[in-house]
Amino acid sequence: MKFSIISFSELDAGLISSWHRLQQTAAVYDSPYFHLRFSQLVAQQRADARLLVMEEAGQVAGLFPYHHLPGQQLNFIGEGLSDYQGVLHAPELTFPMSDLLRAMGKSYLAFNHVPAVMQEFASHAWTGSRSLCLNLDSGYAAYGARLAATREAGLLKKVETNARKLGQRVGDLRFEFSSVDAADFQALLDGKSQQFVRTLGPQADIFAIAWIRQLMEGIQAQRGSDFAGVLSVLYAGNKLVAAHFGMRSANTLHYWFPWYDTQFGEYSPGLILLARCAEYGAEEGITLIDLGRGEQAYKQRFATGFTELCEGAVSRPALLAKVHGGLWHGKRYLRDSALGVKLQAWRKS
């Protein structure tokens, strides 16, 4: 196999065509994180963005967008913003990850959002997780029927009851699936920043980081049929009560940054917003809403499926990742042990 490394400014029509061709080879690549435009937008903000091109028999067989960091580690494109990680490659292509590390002159790559179907990563995994999803491929009514067959049979009915109460007590509800209003976008970013600071501290406000803020603005400006930023808003009267900003790639919407005004918490405006996104999204051609990794209660309540993810590391030599994996398992064992539970209780006291 032949490897070459280029910057995104060097992408030509042939490579762009190869990217789109490879993205069509597996359903896992439907996520907007695997779309060329997402990587290009990141590269506009990060000078360290690179693309590893893998060629087999004179044809592009794989592509790996990444950040070329100082030292021996590297990271996936978008770094911690990327809810899906991996390598785009032809289904028949097999390769050891150590070959990719060698080609990039690096020794270590940690991962935590790689789809488990990517065996080149899964064989190095320490643990697994899920990205919960809403299946809308037969429309919103069919989704509601599937949900009604689960333990959340009354969820959508309860959401609509809360929506009526919110409309009656605060003002008529107005929902927009894809707002282009600059004030709406600013309100979402400000509200999410305040949430980060309130719950995790000032250091957690990712929108205070220039390149991330600019990336969000770049995504919001996208209006393509196969890739677009999606800003959904829910108003009660003239008051913005909930909003969400994410990305869509053709028929997949990735639910990324939801927010709601806590003063209206009794009406669960965040749940109303998600239900409206599913209802109106289905009308806009969305067949899957991906809620991202995590087992938050609202995700479990709305989900009708999931994508399995894996977490671990690959290294050169392999022993380095194995040692780190052993340390990870040791910490997890201690955390879950009786002693670990007592230590956590002591720290909180």
Side-chain angles (χ1 to χ4, degrees):
M1 187 182 302
K2 177 185 175 183
F3 297 99
S4 56
I5 297 173
I6 64 170
S7 66
F8 277 82
S9 62
E10 298 176 89
L11 276 172
D12 57 22
L15 282 174
I16 291 173
S17 176
S18 294
W19 191 306
H20 291 311
R21 170 177 54 82
L22 291 172
Q23 195 181 7
Q24 299 302 313
T25 61
V28 70
Y29 298 138
D30 289 345
S31 170
Y33 292 101
F34 289 116
H35 196 280
L36 167 62
R37 195 66 188 127
F38 174 72
S39 289
Q40 287 179 315
L41 290 168
V42 174
Q44 288 177 9
Q45 307 302 329
R46 292 283 299 267
D48 59 3
R50 298 289 185 274
L51 181 64
L52 178 70
V53 181
M54 307 157 65
E55 295 179 75
E56 185 84 341
Q59 184 178 30
V60 174
L63 296 166
F64 178 38
Y66 69 99
H67 291 288
H68 188 86
L69 305 175
Q72 287 301 303
Q73 294 192 48
L74 67 148
N75 210 340
F76 297 91
I77 196 74
E79 294 194 332
L81 292 174
S82 292
D83 281 354
Y84 278 91
Q85 305 163 335
V87 178
L88 286 90
H89 64 83
E92 68 276 8
L93 185 68
T94 59
F95 53 89
M97 286 301 301
S98 57
D99 285 359
L100 271 67
L101 292 177
R102 186 176 295 107
M104 293 180 283
K106 299 295 183 179
S107 300
Y108 196 86
L109 173 62
F111 57 89
N112 56 12
H113 284 80
V114 170
V117 296
M118 295 186 179
Q119 286 300 312
E120 59 272 15
F121 288 95
S123 59
H124 300 276
W126 305 336
T127 188
S129 59
R130 304 188 301 175
S131 188
L132 295 167
C133 307
L134 283 68
N135 187 333
L136 303 172
D137 59 358
S138 298
Y140 183 70
Y143 162 72
R146 282 191 293 271
L147 204 59
T150 73
R151 59 185 175 84
E152 290 293 345
L155 176 60
L156 296 183
K157 183 177 180 180
K158 177 64 174 176
V159 167
E160 290 310 313
T161 298
N162 283 337
R164 284 195 298 272
K165 290 180 180 178
L166 179 60
Q168 291 167 358
R169 298 175 186 175
V170 181
D172 291 342
L173 296 191
R174 175 173 66 84
F175 174 79
E176 190 169 352
F177 179 70
S178 186
S179 170
V180 297
D181 190 295
D184 286 343
F185 186 61
Q186 186 64 49
L188 180 280
L189 295 182
D190 290 346
K192 200 66 184 176
S193 288
Q194 291 165 13
Q195 179 188 348
F196 287 143
V197 172
R198 182 176 66 252
T199 58
L200 300 171
Q203 74 286 349
D205 181 11
I206 60 173
F207 296 142
I209 300 172
W211 77 267
I212 293 179
R213 182 82 174 214
Q214 291 160 7
L215 174 62
M216 297 300 111
E217 293 169 354
I219 293 172
Q220 168 61 358
Q222 302 303 303
R223 297 287 179 268
S225 59
D226 63 335
F227 183 89
V230 178
L231 173 64
S232 301
V233 294
L234 178 68
Y235 276 85
N238 61 0
K239 179 68 175 179
L240 179 64
V241 297
H244 161 261
F245 178 63
M247 302 182 290
R248 70 175 293 177
S249 177
N251 300 325
T252 297
L253 171 66
H254 195 90
Y255 209 72
W256 207 5
F257 294 109
W259 165 86
Y260 69 89
D261 190 331
T262 55
Q263 69 174 309
F264 302 105
E266 65 178 293
Y267 306 105
S268 301
L271 302 189
I272 299 172
L273 176 77
L274 179 52
R276 292 291 188 272
C277 283
E279 180 182 2
Y280 285 73
E283 296 176 0
E284 293 286 335
I286 298 295
T287 59
L288 185 79
I289 296 180
D290 195 318
L291 300 177
R293 190 180 75 159
E295 298 292 328
Q296 293 93 323
Y298 82 91
K299 294 183 180 182
Q300 294 189 44
R301 297 183 70 187
F302 275 85
T304 54
F306 61 88
T307 297
E308 291 188 15
L309 304 176
C310 58
E311 177 178 349
V314 292
S315 66
R316 190 172 57 94
L319 179 61
L320 180 59
K322 289 181 179 179
V323 169
H324 287 176
L327 291 172
W328 183 92
H329 282 291
K331 290 179 180 178
R332 177 63 63 92
Y333 175 79
L334 177 60
R335 187 199 68 182
D336 295 340
S337 68
L339 176 60
V341 172
K342 289 180 180 179
L343 286 172
Q344 292 178 57
W346 175 76
R347 287 171 180 166
K348 293 178 180 178
S349 64

